[in-house]
Amino acid sequence: NVTGVNITGTNGSDFAQTSTCGQLAPNATCAISVTFTPTIIGSETGDVSVTDDAANSPQLVPLSGVGVGSGPMVVLSTSSLSFSIQLVGTISAGQIVTLTNVGNAVLNITSIASSGDFAQVNTCGSTVAAGANCTITVTFNPTNINTRLGSITVTDDASTSPQIVSLTGTGTYISLSPGSLNFGTVKVGTSSSPQVITLTNTDTVALAIRSLSITGVNRADYTQTNTCGSRVSKGANCSITVTFTPTATGTRSAKVSITDLGGGSPQTVPLSGTGQ
């Protein structure tokens, strides 16, 4: 028994529906026809919401569309990128922003520029045909520690120019290897073989360590000893030895957490294991 078919969502008024749904016999179907009449230029979203006496009511069907005007129009796949913690002076893997010209005329690009500790290469050239797209690949190369901000700015002849992608990343002088530890399956009440994390200070001065501990939901299942002390000399490393002693069956997770002045503190190394 279908009691209602409606359009909902932020831009719901720009979508419309008609349906043949009402009371449906077992295994029967009905049709919901949806149209999109944009009132603005840009991306719009909504939902078809079907209310009935089924257990999973209401059922939702996401709707999306892009309103375009005359001339070129730019849609970016994202308005922001966030990069993982990165060693100062090293370059991250690239992240991609897709630029699409959803207008009805050629897009003329004046410039694509990056700022801050970020760089970009792109396949866009000076023009993008109507309906075509190109990619902008962004990398992060921190010049200092902690949060680093920047942007990608696309300047063109679309009415929304310039288009901006906000960028953020975190710089650190601390290298942790490996980035995670998995202890596999261990009998409850017995201890695993120890595994070692190497912490390296890549800075040109000594690094102060404020605390080093096991944190997380199952922290009682892990123990650590370390050679780091309160300071790690420039270019030097220390070791963190972790052992897993499960107190219960099932997946047991925690992390090594290091508070320091190396940037991006606290740094963490995820720990996982299964109690048997």
Side-chain angles (χ1 to χ4, degrees):
N1 294 293
V2 177
T3 55
V5 179
N6 298 287
I7 303 292
T8 61
T10 303
N11 307 120
S13 61
D14 286 5
F15 298 90
Q17 66 81 27
T18 59
S19 79
T20 62
C21 300
Q23 190 176 66
L24 293 181
N27 296 312
T29 63
C30 64
I32 304 169
S33 298
V34 183
T35 57
F36 175 46
T37 308
T39 59
I40 62 172
I41 294 175
S43 298
E44 300 191 59
T45 59
D47 295 283
V48 173
S49 178
V50 181
T51 306
D52 48 56
D53 59 353
N56 61 340
S57 176
Q59 297 85 26
L60 298 178
V61 179
L63 308 174
S64 63
V66 178
V68 300
S70 60
M73 179 183 169
V74 171
V75 171
L76 298 176
S77 59
T78 183
S79 61
S80 64
L81 290 177
S82 179
F83 287 80
S84 300
I85 192 166
Q86 186 73 24
L87 279 175
V88 172
T90 66
I91 300 174
S92 73
Q95 294 193 46
I96 293 176
V97 178
T98 301
L99 181 155
T100 304
N101 177 10
V102 299
N104 59 5
V106 172
L107 175 73
N108 295 291
I109 296 177
T110 304
S111 66
I112 300 177
S114 60
S115 67
D117 291 352
F118 302 87
Q120 65 82 28
V121 294
N122 67 81
T123 63
C124 300
S126 59
T127 61
V128 179
N133 61 56
C134 59
T135 59
I136 304 167
T137 303
V138 186
T139 54
F140 175 44
N141 183 0
T143 60
N144 210 331
I145 62 172
N146 295 322
T147 301
R148 312 297 292 168
L149 302 177
S151 63
I152 297 295
T153 302
V154 182
T155 307
D156 49 57
D157 62 349
S159 61
T160 56
S161 178
Q163 297 86 28
I164 297 174
V165 179
S166 300
L167 308 174
T168 183
T170 301
T172 185
Y173 283 118
I174 288 185
S175 168
L176 294 168
S177 180
S180 64
L181 295 179
N182 187 328
F183 289 86
T185 300
V186 178
K187 186 176 179 181
V188 171
T190 63
S191 296
S192 70
S193 298
Q195 296 192 45
V196 177
I197 302 165
T198 300
L199 182 156
T200 303
N201 173 18
T202 65
D203 200 358
T204 56
V205 297
L207 170 70
I209 303 291
R210 296 289 177 81
S211 67
L212 200 160
S213 61
I214 304 292
T215 61
V217 176
N218 305 125
R219 59 186 177 275
D221 290 16
Y222 297 87
T223 57
Q224 66 82 24
T225 59
N226 68 83
T227 62
C228 299
S230 60
R231 296 177 72 81
V232 180
S233 300
K234 64 178 182 179
N237 59 56
C238 60
S239 60
I240 304 163
T241 302
V242 183
T243 303
F244 174 46
T245 308
T247 60
T249 60
T251 301
R252 314 294 289 171
S253 60
K255 55 189 174 182
V256 173
S257 183
I258 305 153
T259 305
D260 53 70
L261 299 181
S265 178
Q267 293 87 15
T268 60
V269 176
L271 309 172
S272 62
T274 301
Q276 184 180 58

